[in-house]
Amino acid sequence: MIAISVMPVTQELLVSVYHLPQSIHHTIMAILGPIWKNRYIGVIILAQLAIIGSNAGSRVEKGRILRLTGKNFAVDINVATHADLMAQVTHRFEGKQGFALATINLDHVTKLESSAPFRVAYSAQDLVVADGNPIVWLSRLAKAPVDLMPGSELVVPLARLAASAGVSAALIGSSKASLEAAGRALQAQSKGLQIAYIHAPEFGFDPTGEAARAILKELDASGAGLAFLALGAPKQEVFAALGRKLAPRVGFASIGAGLDFLSGTQVRAPKWVRRIAMEWFWRMASNPRRMFMRYAHCALVLPGLAWRAYKSR
């Protein structure tokens, strides 16, 4: 019964709220159609679409800081808007001050609950932004709204900011071929950007070990003022925390698969999928063995986060 009623409501949301063309909305329904056979999943996805729709066009205003809390952690999202992030990074570039930028999402939340080293690394992050629609929804629930700022969407804006400030960049993580291709793509999109250092760590890289310290020594000597870290969580955040001590003039931006998307090594979900906040489903369908349990764990922490966000209003 639920599955029968969900489909027409979803169709109405796609057309009236998201204003998607008929061709795209029919494609979405063809993909999601079989899912409605499981009424529970159908209701979850419908609820997600409805929540996003209710927030469509909401204006993000400056307000109090959003604090995400769990049983074992508390993290402040201390940069609420994209404009504020660009202003703070510009200020640090001008003052030749380093920084560590983290983009928190539900996967980070699950790791923060279980990993003391990750909690220590997060405490060393100077700038924390929201990466993932659930974090944005929680911010609205807490009446402390924040912009959605996925790490992969910050790479080019930060590179352009660095180029305009005369700050050279470094690319660390992934593979050498991917980094080189990403570097060419970044320079094509960021006029005047200089790339001073590239390094792809070996498999099994320890972000606090001797190899990490050697990389940071080379990075500091290169003169780069902005380092994109494509090591994945928690390695990139742990490495950035060490970098704040050993290379204090460098700005570290943990951006996950952002460089692989630029190089074409990985393919990101299409824009229309991201627009309806279904990138998580795209990624799970693309790699179910790796992603299913990750998203299952994320789903389990969401109710508690939502309740605490509501109580903090």
Side-chain angles (χ1 to χ4, degrees):
M1 194 70 177
I2 293 177
I4 293 173
S5 61
V6 162
M7 288 192 70
V9 176
T10 302
Q11 289 176 336
E12 178 62 24
L13 280 169
L14 293 175
V15 174
S16 63
V17 175
Y18 301 102
H19 309 293
L20 295 180
Q22 287 288 334
S23 58
I24 292 180
H25 125 252
H26 286 317
T27 301
I28 296 172
M29 295 309 300
I31 294 171
L32 297 182
I35 297 174
W36 303 134
K37 294 178 181 178
N38 185 317
R39 64 183 62 187
Y40 302 107
I41 295 178
V43 169
I44 289 171
I45 294 177
L46 176 58
Q48 174 172 318
L49 291 170
I51 292 171
I52 304 166
S54 69
N55 289 324
S58 295
R59 188 165 65 92
V60 176
E61 299 177 353
K62 289 186 177 180
R64 59 194 182 85
I65 292 176
L66 172 65
R67 169 165 287 190
L68 294 179
T69 59
K71 294 180 180 178
N72 300 314
F73 77 93
V75 171
D76 289 336
I77 298 179
N78 58 9
V79 185
T81 69
H82 189 276
D84 188 22
L85 176 63
M86 295 297 108
Q88 290 203 42
V89 171
T90 297
H91 177 73
R92 287 176 180 267
F93 282 162
E94 290 173 347
K96 299 188 184 303
Q97 300 173 341
F99 60 87
L101 166 65
T103 61
I104 193 166
N105 55 36
L106 289 185
D107 180 52
H108 288 197
V109 168
T110 64
K111 289 177 170 63
L112 285 165
E113 283 286 22
S114 61
S115 172
F118 196 38
R119 292 194 290 272
V120 172
Y122 244 88
S123 69
Q125 307 299 306
D126 303 280
L127 310 171
V128 180
V129 300
D131 177 359
N133 281 290
I135 304 298
V136 174
W137 301 336
L138 290 169
S139 76
R140 297 184 188 283
L141 188 60
K143 293 189 176 181
V146 299
D147 282 351
L148 176 64
M149 289 183 267
S152 58
E153 294 180 8
L154 294 176
V155 179
V156 172
L158 289 173
R160 289 174 176 168
L161 209 60
S164 65
V167 173
S168 59
L171 312 179
I172 300 172
S174 190
S175 67
K176 184 178 179 181
S178 180
L179 294 183
E180 290 175 347
R184 290 191 294 270
L186 269 180
Q187 288 180 315
Q189 298 180 58
S190 310
K191 185 177 179 180
L193 178 68
Q194 297 296 316
I195 297 179
Y197 184 73
I198 288 180
H199 190 96
E202 295 182 359
F203 180 77
F205 170 70
D206 178 357
T208 61
E210 288 304 314
R213 293 173 182 272
I215 292 170
L216 287 168
K217 184 177 180 180
E218 293 174 357
L219 173 64
D220 195 41
S222 75
L226 172 65
F228 290 111
L229 305 183
L231 299 166
K235 285 186 177 181
Q236 57 195 17
E237 290 80 13
V238 173
F239 183 77
L242 180 62
R244 291 296 287 122
K245 297 177 182 178
L246 302 184
R249 294 173 297 179
V250 178
F252 295 90
S254 297
I255 44 80
L259 297 181
D260 282 345
F261 290 149
L262 273 172
S263 69
T265 304
Q266 292 190 49
V267 179
R268 195 177 180 192
K271 287 184 179 180
W272 65 263
V273 174
R274 285 178 260 156
R275 185 179 174 186
I276 61 171
M278 291 292 287
E279 187 170 11
W280 66 271
F281 184 78
W282 170 278
R283 295 186 67 191
M284 186 172 68
S286 301
N287 192 348
R289 179 173 296 183
R290 175 170 173 260
M291 304 304 297
F292 179 81
M293 288 307 300
R294 173 186 293 189
Y295 288 125
H297 290 147
C298 290
L300 289 175
V301 302
L302 190 53
L305 288 171
W307 174 242
R308 287 187 287 274
Y310 178 78
K311 289 198 300 180
S312 72
R313 294 158 71 100

